[in-house]
Amino acid sequence: MKSVLQCGLLWMLIIIMSSYANQIYPVIPQPVDLQPEEGFFELKPATVIVTDSSTRHLGQMLADKLMPATGYHLSVSRRSVGEGPWIELKLNDSLEDLGTEGYRLRVQADRITIEATAQPGLFYGFMTIMQLLPEEIYSPDTIEGIQWKIPCVTITDTPRFQWRGMHLDVCRHFMPIEFVKKYIDLIAMHKMNTFHWHLTDDQGWRIEIKKYPKLTEVGGWRKETLVGRGKSLPREFDGTPHGGFYTQDEVRDIVAYAKERFVTIVPEIEMPGHSQAAIAAYPELGNYDKQFDVCRWWGYGEDVFNVEESTITFLQDVLAEVMDLFPGKFIHIGGDEVPKNHWKNSPAAQARMTELGLSNEEQLQSWFIKRMDTFLAEHGRRLVGWDEILEGGLAPGATVMSWRGTEGGIAAAQAGHDVVMAPGSHTYFDYYQAGPAGEPLAIGGFTPLQKVYAFEPVPDTLTEQQGKHILGAQGQVWTEFILDSDHVEYMALPRMCALAEVVWTPVAQKDYDAFYERLTTHAQRLKLLDVNLHPLLKQAEKTE
Ligand code: ACM
């Protein structure tokens, strides 16, 4: 009886202490190891940020982040001057076990030290400091009368996965540059590091290609857009032209903006399907002797790229310009949802299949993707594509993004290929997160916050060795029914916060109740950042 009582008391104590830690240290994603300590560091106007010359720009970035809310113009210096208080950013090679993105953060009453082997780790350390401060630190306006206290703590932290991604479709609805930057800021704030930018589709081509200007002049605009899901006939259209594109200078600016925040952009150029906007601009790329418009409704377009050598050259020219703009290792070539009837009905495609000794259209698709894989590999890059690229045989260097469940990812990992898990079931943030009653029209599905949080990217059917091929996971925001950036925010957050913890935090430290408690503070930060997040719902149940 006594031991039952002791056990119960101990348990209660643990719960109280962990709730206390969640309130005092409301960091998302939850760090790997967090040791609470007594006392506080207080940020003062005289606090100095100490860096060496290679980390000075990060110190300045931290000073700039702390400035609006506090009104303090903290100095960034090479040396610790006087008795402190100071915040030191320090490169330390001995922390190599933490990788380039890990960091150690020590908060003491008179100083804060962030140490890491490389700049991304220091950056994530200071992102953690932001979340240890009162949430008002995210205010764009100076707030008087707040004590900018940071509770003492030692944190040792490093991400679970190397690919921590968010995707954004800017084709179905164009998103302005300012918003793309805000989205990148949100990615970085959650210690995610990959922005998958879906730049071309049937409904719009959104990136300037100098060699082929009609891609944006014609392919960047559609006459009008389907209203609603268009399930009942006759379909209704809004009668309003829609479009836009990013110039190469704008793309370079966004790539640089992302790089400063340690976010790599993975551009997606869809092929051979989802290509109607390109075919509308250059009809010779298609299979039919017909002029198509940029697609005005959802689903697949009416044509796919043909398999002529001239089309392969055209697309490789496009990829060459894309590689010039995006320095990251991965280039996404789409590869999803390629209706094979276009090639079946095309005498030219059938002749090409015979010439190549291929026996079906799946093999033709695989041949197409392999041509791009070889081209990208010759330029030192790696191809990534949606899981349909498995059909007809996977290209040697391909990384698979598994969206139709995790099966494609499992097959690819078993075959020794790298994989990014992006299953519709858990990571499609265009699905309903509540309701559907009372929610704005969405594409369907039901993926509430708790379901995202429960996602495990490494299926237990994989061996340990195969599991190493799972690079990470990614959240998708398709915008058929998301007309503007406010609505993107509503769909992406707070589910992005849950996914951040899926890809960063070790399984043993994951705890939905604790996450939700931290999220209530985190939501205040997001509101101060003017993010139109969905109201928090701990356990959303489907209403229809
Ligand atoms: C996809 O959702 N078609 C990748």
Side-chain angles (χ1 to χ4, degrees):
M1 184 66 197
K2 194 169 160 220
S3 70
V4 171
L5 205 65
Q6 279 175 340
C7 202
L9 281 172
L10 187 65
W11 190 236
M12 264 173 59
L13 197 65
I14 289 171
I15 289 176
I16 290 167
M17 276 171 54
S18 81
S19 177
Y20 172 78
N22 283 320
Q23 285 161 22
I24 302 286
Y25 307 100
V27 179
I28 289 180
Q30 174 68 19
V32 174
D33 184 66
L34 185 153
Q35 300 296 330
E37 281 160 33
E38 294 264 317
F40 289 91
F41 173 97
E42 188 173 346
L43 201 65
K44 297 269 176 61
T47 300
V48 176
I49 298 177
V50 180
T51 70
D52 64 26
S53 55
S54 67
T55 56
R56 191 183 158 78
H57 67 289
L58 281 174
Q60 192 55 54
M61 209 171 174
L62 176 57
D64 292 346
K65 274 221 171 291
L66 296 170
M67 201 282 285
T70 61
Y72 303 162
H73 293 269
L74 303 185
S75 66
V76 181
S77 158
R78 288 252 194 129
R79 281 180 301 113
S80 43
V81 277
E83 292 298 302
W86 67 75
I87 302 175
E88 185 167 12
L89 305 180
K90 207 162 145 180
L91 289 170
N92 179 348
D93 287 341
S94 75
L95 297 176
E96 62 190 323
D97 286 356
L98 297 179
T100 55
E101 297 187 305
Y103 64 93
R104 190 166 65 200
L105 169 65
R106 180 103 204 266
V107 180
Q108 296 167 279
D110 59 348
R111 73 191 64 176
I112 294 178
T113 317
I114 313 172
E115 292 177 282
T117 61
Q119 313 240 352
L122 293 178
F123 178 76
Y124 292 140
F126 94 55
M127 285 288 158
T128 297
I129 291 184
M130 293 292 290
Q131 297 192 1
L132 293 173
L133 279 157
E135 58 265 25
E136 290 85 351
I137 196 68
Y138 287 90
S139 165
D141 305 312
T142 303
I143 306 182
E144 305 291 344
I146 291 200
Q147 285 187 303
W148 300 105
K149 284 179 163 180
I150 304 178
C152 291
V153 70
T154 297
I155 290 176
T156 310
D157 207 8
T158 187
R160 180 174 172 209
F161 291 106
Q162 58 175 282
W163 187 303
R164 305 184 302 280
M166 282 298 300
H167 149 288
L168 181 65
D169 168 11
V170 294
C171 303
R172 274 54 179 266
H173 285 100
F174 181 70
M175 298 293 157
I177 292 169
E178 300 68 42
F179 177 67
V180 173
K181 289 185 172 173
K182 186 176 181 186
Y183 198 71
I184 290 167
D185 279 331
L186 288 168
I187 290 172
M189 174 189 185
H190 291 88
K191 301 193 176 89
M192 296 171 103
N193 63 0
T194 305
F195 170 41
H196 173 170
W197 202 3
H198 185 77
L199 285 164
T200 74
D201 214 307
D202 295 313
Q203 294 80 8
W205 183 285
R206 306 268 175 251
I207 177 169
E208 179 190 24
I209 299 296
K210 300 272 190 205
K211 190 158 184 186
Y212 303 114
K214 284 199 283 184
L215 284 172
T216 44
E217 282 167 17
V218 175
W221 305 90
R222 61 177 181 262
K223 260 200 302 238
E224 56 185 358
T225 302
L226 183 70
V227 173
R229 293 213 181 96
K231 289 255 153 70
S232 54
L233 296 174
R235 286 163 157 177
E236 190 194 333
F237 291 88
D238 66 4
T240 309
H242 179 88
F245 65 92
Y246 309 97
T247 66
Q248 294 204 349
D249 282 346
E250 288 167 340
V251 168
R252 278 194 195 91
D253 176 49
I254 290 173
V255 168
Y257 188 88
K259 184 165 181 254
E260 275 175 28
R261 288 150 184 81
F262 302 96
V263 172
T264 302
I265 304 184
V266 177
E268 181 179 356
I269 307 295
E270 276 269 21
M271 62 185 83
H274 286 278
S275 46
Q276 193 176 314
I279 295 169
Y282 293 95
E284 63 271 28
L285 300 173
N287 293 279
Y288 301 104
D289 190 15
K290 181 178 167 190
Q291 176 65 54
F292 289 101
D293 287 337
V294 177
C295 200
R296 297 173 296 143
W297 55 82
W298 316 127
Y300 317 149
E302 288 183 284
D303 200 359
V304 302
F305 288 132
N306 65 39
V307 287
E308 299 302 317
E309 201 52 35
S310 52
T311 298
I312 299 287
T313 304
F314 181 103
L315 291 170
Q316 292 183 344
D317 289 345
V318 169
L319 290 179
E321 290 195 31
V322 167
M323 283 190 283
D324 202 37
L325 293 168
F326 295 92
K329 190 163 53 173
F330 288 98
I331 305 287
H332 203 303
I333 52 72
D336 58 321
E337 299 177 319
V338 188
K340 306 295 183 304
N341 54 321
H342 306 290
W343 292 337
K344 278 199 175 103
N345 297 334
S346 155
Q350 292 301 309
R352 188 81 156 139
M353 262 168 59
T354 308
E355 175 200 324
L356 295 165
L358 304 174
S359 47
N360 58 44
E361 287 73 22
E362 282 71 26
Q363 288 181 5
L364 189 59
Q365 171 177 315
S366 171
W367 167 84
F368 192 113
I369 302 295
K370 281 179 183 152
R371 291 291 303 270
M372 299 304 154
D373 183 52
T374 307
F375 179 74
L376 292 174
E378 280 166 5
H379 291 81
R381 306 298 182 96
R382 288 183 60 192
L383 176 146
V384 52
W386 299 107
D387 57 63
E388 286 92 332
I389 65 170
L390 280 150
E391 294 165 4
L394 207 46
T399 293
V400 171
M401 193 167 267
S402 191
W403 74 280
R404 297 175 302 173
T406 52
E407 292 77 10
I410 292 171
Q414 286 170 339
H417 286 257
D418 286 342
V419 170
V420 177
M421 286 298 188
S425 56
H426 291 76
T427 66
Y428 269 38
F429 298 163
D430 55 336
Y431 285 14
Y432 285 105
Q433 58 197 306
E439 289 294 308
L441 180 72
I443 200 159
F446 187 69
T447 305
L449 185 67
Q450 71 265 29
K451 187 171 182 188
V452 178
Y453 195 84
F455 179 53
E456 170 48 49
V458 184
D460 55 16
T461 43
L462 296 181
T463 63
E464 198 184 329
Q465 196 52 36
Q466 291 163 350
K468 292 196 175 123
H469 284 295
I470 309 297
L471 302 182
Q474 183 177 280
Q476 280 49 245
V477 183
W478 300 102
T479 56
E480 286 94 335
F481 302 101
I482 301 178
L483 275 57
D484 58 30
S485 56
D486 263 8
H487 197 176
V488 170
E489 292 173 9
Y490 181 86
M491 299 306 278
L493 293 131
R495 290 185 284 192
M496 184 198 288
C497 314
L499 187 68
E501 205 140 313
V502 168
V503 287
W504 182 282
T505 306
V507 177
Q509 261 83 296
K510 272 180 72 193
D511 174 337
Y512 184 65
D513 290 340
F515 162 74
Y516 193 81
E517 199 171 347
R518 282 178 279 115
L519 187 62
T520 54
T521 304
H522 194 69
Q524 301 310 315
R525 298 177 187 132
L526 294 171
K527 284 182 188 154
L528 286 163
L529 291 170
D530 197 27
V531 174
N532 179 39
L533 78 162
H534 191 277
L536 299 192
L537 291 172
K538 191 168 181 187
Q539 302 290 339
E541 301 293 341
K542 209 163 185 227
T543 50
E544 308 174 342

